[in-house]
Amino acid sequence: MSPLRDPYDETPAAVFRNVSFAYPGTDRALIENLNFTIRQGEFVALIGPSGCGKSTILRLLNRLNRPVQGDVEIPGGHLCGYMPQQDLLFPWRTVLENIRLPLEVQGGLSAASMDARAKEILSSVGLEGWGEKLPRELSGGMRQRASFARTLMTGADLLLLDEPFSALDYLTRLSMREWLMEQWQRDKKTILFITHDVEEAVFLSTRILAADRAPIRSLREYRVPLPFPRKESDLAGPEALSLKAQLLDMFRECECVEHCESS
Ligand code: ADP
């Protein structure tokens, strides 16, 4: 078994420095003076009650929104690749045409080079031979893999994944999370992954950041003390069970706070 990856690598991949944010036209801050750092090579899960601002954190990282105060830094000017809950593949383009889209947008490569690169990535995500199909001919899990391949085609080192498996059935989710773990171990990208599934967070991540209420002023940090590669059976071990229990307690507390504040 390989040890926990890069637990001491402090090179930052994304930094929130005293960030505050409210959507224009709203008087309520969603994020207030928030500080956190994601380090290179980490797999970080971001969890918290729905509507507390997790996706907004990703939108600030990929510059779809700007902070009202503070700085969001991606040191080294690295690219962020964003993958939403729904695959958002263009239904009229073949899988290969969808995957080569980021290269078309960047420009400068011949059609043959773009296709060669797209085919390489397609086979790396286990979809060799599916390039000429339309997205509707693929299963939900395969479409998410194609969508992941398209995110990789951006060349991004920091991948922002917003509940990518939430629309999939339970068994597909189990196989997709193993698949994602393998991709991360192989590609050595930095991943920030939103999930509301505590078990998924424990299975996949090196570190969990938990938002417990809105506005988000801080994130609670939990290290996941399990070596890689992980197996489903690791989730039944004492470390995983105790971490899951802590996270569920945290969620119960949030519900209680929300209930008390709204009554
Ligand atoms: P989460 O990802 O934790 O479920 P979001 O970041 O999607 O939460 O949303 C946080 C809050 O901001 C929600 O109450 C949502 O309704 C609100 N919100 C999201 N997008 C916008 C927008 N474009 N304008 C105004 N409010 C928004």
Side-chain angles (χ1 to χ4, degrees):
M1 253 192 231
S2 58
L4 270 177
R5 269 248 321 266
D6 290 344
Y8 309 112
D9 185 350
E10 295 299 321
T11 316
V15 184
F16 261 49
R17 225 184 283 286
N18 303 321
V19 171
S20 298
F21 178 77
Y23 279 104
T26 62
D27 49 7
R28 195 172 65 102
L30 260 186
I31 295 171
E32 267 183 18
N33 208 24
L34 178 64
N35 289 284
F36 71 90
T37 300
I38 309 286
R39 292 179 282 272
Q40 260 176 38
E42 280 194 299
F43 194 133
V44 175
L46 180 57
I47 65 171
S50 95
C52 75
K54 301 180 297 298
S55 301
T56 304
I57 288 179
L58 296 199
R59 295 173 67 82
L60 286 160
L61 282 165
N62 67 18
R63 312 273 187 234
L64 287 171
N65 289 118
R66 296 275 168 189
V68 174
Q69 268 177 27
D71 294 306
V72 175
E73 294 168 19
I74 310 287
H78 290 298
L79 285 172
C80 292
Y82 173 65
M83 179 174 158
Q85 283 177 29
Q86 301 298 332
D87 60 63
L88 300 187
L89 297 170
F90 291 111
W92 60 87
R93 285 188 149 224
T94 65
V95 171
L96 197 74
E97 286 165 352
N98 265 288
I99 288 175
R100 71 170 200 216
L101 195 63
L103 296 184
E104 287 175 24
V105 173
Q106 284 161 18
L109 284 179
S110 68
S113 324
M114 287 191 290
D115 279 350
R117 181 83 190 102
K119 276 187 184 145
E120 212 176 280
I121 296 251
L122 200 62
S123 93
S124 81
V125 299
L127 289 176
E128 201 165 3
W130 290 85
E132 299 312 316
K133 305 278 184 202
L134 290 170
R136 65 162 186 272
E137 298 177 90
L138 272 57
S139 69
M142 290 164 98
R143 280 201 300 275
Q144 284 304 73
R145 281 192 266 154
S147 178
F148 186 80
R150 189 170 64 181
T151 310
L152 289 177
M153 283 296 267
T154 60
D157 297 309
L158 173 61
L159 305 180
L160 309 172
L161 313 183
D162 194 346
E163 297 201 46
F165 307 147
S166 62
L168 304 175
D169 64 76
Y170 182 66
L171 288 178
T172 310
R173 290 177 74 137
L174 292 190
S175 69
M176 288 299 288
R177 70 190 190 192
E178 280 187 18
W179 174 84
L180 182 60
M181 181 183 67
E182 285 160 17
Q183 301 289 310
W184 171 74
Q185 287 198 276
R186 190 194 59 200
D187 294 346
K188 309 204 176 348
K189 303 269 180 186
T190 308
I191 296 186
L192 179 59
F193 176 95
I194 295 181
T195 178
H196 59 260
D197 181 335
V198 163
E199 203 175 85
E200 196 165 88
V202 173
F203 183 75
L204 281 169
S205 61
T206 52
R207 197 157 62 103
I208 297 174
L209 295 177
D212 55 2
R213 71 193 70 178
I216 304 177
R217 298 193 179 99
S218 61
L219 296 168
R220 295 194 206 184
E221 176 187 278
Y222 303 82
R223 286 205 164 268
V224 184
L226 303 174
F228 288 92
R230 294 177 181 166
K231 303 180 295 303
E232 288 298 326
S233 56
D234 294 338
L235 288 171
E239 291 103 336
L241 288 177
S242 136
L243 181 54
K244 263 165 60 183
Q246 282 182 58
L247 293 165
L248 290 172
D249 278 350
M250 192 267 308
F251 273 116
R252 267 185 223 112
E253 247 176 68
C254 306
E255 272 177 21
C256 178
V257 169
E258 267 175 28
H259 180 72
C260 298
E261 284 178 350
S262 61
S263 58

